[in-house]
Amino acid sequence: MTPALDVTDLHASVGDIEILKGLSLQVPFGEIHAIMGPNGSGKSTLCHVLAGKEAYTVSGSARLDGQDLLGEPTDVRARMGLMQGFQYPVEIRGVKLVDFLKEAADEAGIDPDEAARRIAESGDQFDMTRFLTRSVNQDLSGGEKKRSEIFQMAVLRPKVVILDEIDSGLDIDAVREVAEAVEAMRSPEVGIVLITHYSRILRYLSADRIHVMMDGRIIESGGPELAAQLEAGGYEAFRAQLT
Ligand SMILES: Nc1ncnc2c1ncn2[C@@H]1O[C@H](COP(=O)(O)OP(=O)(O)OP(=O)(O)O)[C@@H](O)[C@H]1O
Ligand SMILES: [Mg+2]
């Protein structure tokens, strides 16, 4: 079956600095994959490159549900079904969450009645109903902002979701809440990539695979036991695998 996300030998540089050095990653539909890696290993760069942020010279391939991503501008990639969640979601003053979502749903080609149904249903599920008439992310706590992003994803139903450090800055309960929201988003129609520094979030959701990223590449992939191994021994043990 065609994977949700299929990245092969991805290279990305800024000027003469190479940041991604031949990264390969496959995320099947229905699965949640975690990427863990030390500061500066290129995790956020991977997000930016997949989203189509300019400034990088890119080679290799990245496919979303079989379609080439790298040749497309940012907005087309979003319409193809790529959606990212950020460490610090932006506040949009003066735009109510409900209007923002209806507009985004319209752009994604979702029928307005269907969009309204999803907003009501997922609003309930993620306890976001009371935020619908407030400005997007404005004056929300860190945890609420993350929950809001996941709620938006549940309404828009992208094919690939990439969450960059969605757990950083959250208290213990909020990490669990966000993890459970991510798990609730799991479906056969979406592949989810979760970038994290902490194995704590992995206790509350069942990641299908863990990938260790170092120096611009995935250097090891495995099951949940890999997170435990990292927690115990840090990245040092993996450094030997860098050539
Ligand atoms: N525009 C740029 N110009 C030069 N170097 C860059 C640029 N963007 C990123 N880098 C460098 O690339 C490396 C990877 O950065 P990136 O933000 O992707 O790391 P990361 O794995 O997300 O780290 P963290 O865990 O701290 O968030 C860093 O050394 C960073 O300084
Ligand atoms: Mg980062």
Side-chain angles (χ1 to χ4, degrees):
M1 219 179 93
T2 312
L5 181 67
D6 192 355
V7 178
T8 309
D9 197 26
L10 187 64
H11 292 255
S13 346
V14 178
D16 54 9
I17 306 166
E18 191 176 41
I19 303 170
L20 300 184
K21 304 177 181 176
L23 182 142
S24 297
L25 173 72
Q26 265 205 358
V27 183
F29 280 105
E31 294 195 1
I32 301 176
H33 287 207
I35 297 179
M36 304 181 79
N39 296 126
S41 51
K43 303 179 300 297
S44 296
T45 301
L46 171 65
C47 298
H48 299 321
V49 167
L50 291 178
K53 189 175 158 188
E54 286 168 28
Y56 303 97
T57 308
V58 177
S59 69
S61 100
R63 296 181 169 275
L64 185 152
D65 196 11
Q67 287 183 289
D68 172 53
L69 271 179
L70 299 181
E72 303 295 346
T74 304
D75 57 325
V76 174
R77 297 186 198 201
R79 260 180 274 133
M80 284 164 73
L82 177 71
M83 203 167 160
Q84 300 204 5
F86 298 99
Q87 186 174 355
Y88 303 106
V90 290
E91 303 190 358
I92 312 176
R93 284 175 191 272
V95 179
K96 286 182 189 152
L97 178 58
V98 64
D99 296 330
F100 175 79
L101 268 175
K102 283 180 176 166
E103 177 75 32
D106 188 52
E107 270 174 39
I110 300 166
D111 171 78
D113 289 340
E114 169 66 13
R117 203 184 55 73
R118 290 186 196 175
I119 290 170
E121 190 183 292
S122 300
D124 238 17
Q125 183 187 358
F126 294 105
D127 194 20
M128 285 300 297
T129 308
R130 69 204 144 100
F131 296 104
L132 282 170
T133 51
R134 284 170 58 175
S135 293
V136 179
N137 285 332
Q138 192 179 341
D139 302 323
L140 267 62
S141 77
E144 288 165 350
K145 280 183 191 169
K146 309 280 164 82
R147 215 167 71 223
S148 177
E149 290 215 307
I150 293 171
F151 163 56
Q152 292 166 42
M153 291 170 175
V155 171
L156 300 173
R157 300 193 188 161
K159 288 181 178 173
V160 170
V161 164
I162 303 178
L163 302 164
D164 191 5
E165 293 195 34
I166 193 155
D167 51 348
S168 64
L170 298 189
D171 71 43
I172 296 164
D173 292 342
V175 169
R176 180 204 297 260
E177 226 177 71
V178 164
E180 286 170 356
V182 172
E183 187 62 57
M185 198 169 44
R186 184 199 288 272
S187 96
E189 277 84 46
V190 62
I192 301 173
V193 180
L194 186 86
I195 293 168
T196 181
H197 281 297
Y198 307 106
S199 55
R200 177 180 289 279
I201 193 168
L202 303 174
R203 287 188 214 157
Y204 306 120
L205 55 81
S206 44
D208 298 276
R209 296 212 36 98
I210 313 278
H211 304 279
V212 180
M213 180 161 176
M214 278 179 105
D215 198 26
R217 285 180 297 133
I218 302 292
I219 58 155
E220 177 93 31
S221 301
E225 75 285 350
L226 207 48
Q229 198 182 325
L230 276 172
E231 191 80 2
Y235 291 109
E236 212 39 55
F238 293 91
R239 277 190 205 280
Q241 295 178 33
L242 293 175
T243 45

